[in-house]
Amino acid sequence: MAIRAAHSRTATDAVDPSGAPSTQPAWEETRLDARPSTPAPLIDARRRFDVCHVGLVLRAVLGVQLSLSLGLAMACETPAQWAWAMGGASVASLSAVLAWLLIVCAAKRVLSRLPEWAQWALPIALGAICAHGGALLLEAVELGRLGVLQRVAAVLAGALAAAVLLSWLKLRERAQAPADAMARLVELQSRIRPHFLFNTLNTAIALVRVDPNRAEEVLEDLAELFRVALEDAGPHAEGVRLAQEVELARRYLAIEQLRFGDRLRVRWQLDPHAADARVPPLLLQPLVENAVRHGVEPNDGGGDVDIVTRAHGGEVEIRVVNTVGLPSRGQGHGLALRNVRQRLRLMHDVAARLEAGPGDGRFIVRIVLPR
């Protein structure tokens, strides 16, 4: 009766932020259109992928060099002239680009506290200044003076390059929000698959009289899985700790252990030094679920699932390995792997990689990301 009454209060007596009772049903608070979304700042010191990221540095340097080489190729008559011009121009362009990246990276905490117009204006102005410095360096290298038009063109090119880089960061941030939403949708759909939900509830019902405490733990684990699947991390999320993902996977496997018993054999090899690595939300659980669904469920003898984390140098390695036996009853579509790969690319870009495939009678998923 106490539980039922508490549920009734939750459903009908929500409290608004001012403390006054609200007649709005609690379920309405979870609707997507009821949650106001604020745009992400252009420069956010908490964000992993920003102006300090190796992926952005590589793209900036290569993009500027490519544009410069094509422009000089149109102005030069012979390959020798083009090579000579590129030698001097590269010194100036690389110096300007790297100076801009270093200054903006060092000042990102200050810039993140400024209004958005300033987050655009100051880096663009800095791009113009760095390009002007590069032009001065070019004069020193080639021992000649640039004309007024050339100086103006260099300044405008620096400002334009800075604006393009900032716009690309903004577009990339917008692209990340649908990926996170898709991850939660995929997980919510997998959590409410009828056989999983009903099996879990039936297991809890069977345990109520035999082991009430264990039944309560099963329902708590199921509630936690739903909570994480429905949780709105918002556009400012910088990921979660790997230790949180491990705990979520433990809850899922604890439920599945009741279903499969000795058929499900789980081995954990966790490196405590890897626990603080930042990963996209719902990274590990769908991989563990795939391992159970395709490596354990279709086989009468069950199967093994190994979860390994390891820190080495500046990287963290995550491995989910399952035995391979009979084909799965339900053919997978690769949604989980594609979604995990996409969100890793959005969060860590070229600094993270995912490899998946069979090997030695097992299916191995290996993720390497920055520590």
Side-chain angles (χ1 to χ4, degrees):
M1 291 296 293
I3 296 176
R4 186 175 302 172
H7 181 271
S8 177
R9 287 194 301 271
T10 303
T12 57
D13 299 332
V15 179
D16 65 17
S18 64
S22 171
T23 57
Q24 181 186 22
W27 62 268
E28 290 189 3
E29 297 174 3
T30 63
R31 295 188 323 182
L32 293 179
D33 58 355
R35 295 181 178 180
S37 59
T38 57
L42 176 64
I43 298 176
D44 191 344
R46 300 171 299 172
R47 195 157 52 220
R48 284 274 163 168
F49 190 91
D50 56 13
V51 288
C52 303
H53 197 280
V54 62
L56 179 65
V57 173
L58 289 174
R59 285 176 172 84
V61 171
L62 292 176
V64 170
Q65 289 301 101
L66 179 61
S67 301
L68 185 63
S69 64
L70 293 176
L72 290 177
M74 295 179 64
C76 296
E77 296 180 356
T78 64
Q81 290 180 349
W82 175 83
W84 177 261
M86 273 297 297
S90 295
V91 173
S93 63
L94 287 175
S95 300
V97 172
L98 293 177
W100 185 86
L101 289 169
L102 288 173
I103 294 173
V104 176
C105 178
K108 71 175 184 177
R109 295 189 180 277
V110 177
L111 291 171
S112 64
R113 294 193 289 266
L114 299 177
E116 183 154 351
W117 68 266
Q119 293 184 5
W120 283 93
L122 293 181
I124 290 176
L126 179 63
I129 294 172
C130 290
H132 179 67
L136 296 178
L137 183 60
L138 183 61
E139 289 183 348
V141 171
E142 296 191 347
L143 302 177
R145 293 189 60 82
L146 299 177
V148 175
L149 182 61
Q150 291 172 311
R151 288 173 176 270
V152 172
V155 170
L156 293 178
L160 178 62
V164 168
L165 283 174
L166 293 174
S167 299
W168 181 73
L169 274 179
K170 189 70 173 178
L171 290 174
R172 194 178 188 284
E173 180 68 23
R174 290 178 180 175
Q176 190 168 6
D180 288 339
M182 179 62 181
R184 282 170 174 79
L185 178 60
V186 169
E187 287 313 301
L188 182 56
Q189 289 172 341
S190 68
R191 289 286 64 75
I192 60 175
R193 288 203 313 264
H195 80 270
F196 176 85
L197 178 60
F198 293 154
N199 285 340
T200 303
L201 292 178
N202 287 334
T203 301
I205 292 171
L207 287 171
V208 166
R209 296 191 179 186
V210 180
D211 190 349
N213 292 332
R214 188 71 183 109
E216 183 179 358
E217 292 175 6
V218 170
L219 293 176
E220 287 176 354
D221 290 339
L222 183 62
E224 179 66 13
L225 290 172
F226 271 101
R227 185 193 66 78
V228 174
L230 288 167
E231 187 178 44
D232 182 12
H236 307 293
E238 60 165 351
V240 299
R241 295 174 64 244
L242 179 56
Q244 293 176 250
E245 287 294 292
V246 169
E247 178 60 26
L248 183 65
R250 284 188 187 275
R251 289 180 179 270
Y252 171 78
L253 290 172
I255 293 175
E256 295 289 44
Q257 192 79 63
L258 292 173
R259 291 180 53 205
F260 295 105
D262 295 338
R263 293 176 58 208
L264 173 58
R265 298 175 291 276
V266 182
R267 289 191 294 267
W268 299 87
Q269 300 179 40
L270 304 178
D271 185 348
H273 297 98
D276 290 329
R278 308 301 295 191
V279 299
L282 296 170
L283 176 80
L284 186 57
Q285 192 276 332
L287 302 180
V288 172
E289 180 179 356
N290 269 4
V292 173
R293 188 179 181 190
H294 300 292
V296 178
E297 186 173 359
N299 303 304
D300 293 336
D304 303 325
V305 177
D306 298 340
I307 300 98
V308 181
T309 63
R310 185 165 65 97
H312 47 94
E315 293 183 328
V316 167
E317 178 185 2
I318 305 169
R319 274 186 291 134
V320 178
V321 184
N322 63 270
T323 51
V324 177
L326 296 175
S328 174
R329 296 187 181 93
Q331 184 63 31
H333 301 285
L335 269 178
L337 283 177
R338 285 201 301 270
N339 187 271
V340 168
R341 182 178 283 110
Q342 179 186 12
R343 290 185 296 126
L344 279 173
R345 185 169 60 248
L346 286 169
M347 183 172 181
H348 293 294
D349 201 63
V350 296
R353 58 188 183 274
L354 184 150
E355 304 164 358
D360 297 330
R362 293 170 174 264
F363 190 85
I364 304 170
V365 178
R366 179 174 178 265
I367 297 173
V368 179
L369 45 81
R371 191 169 175 179

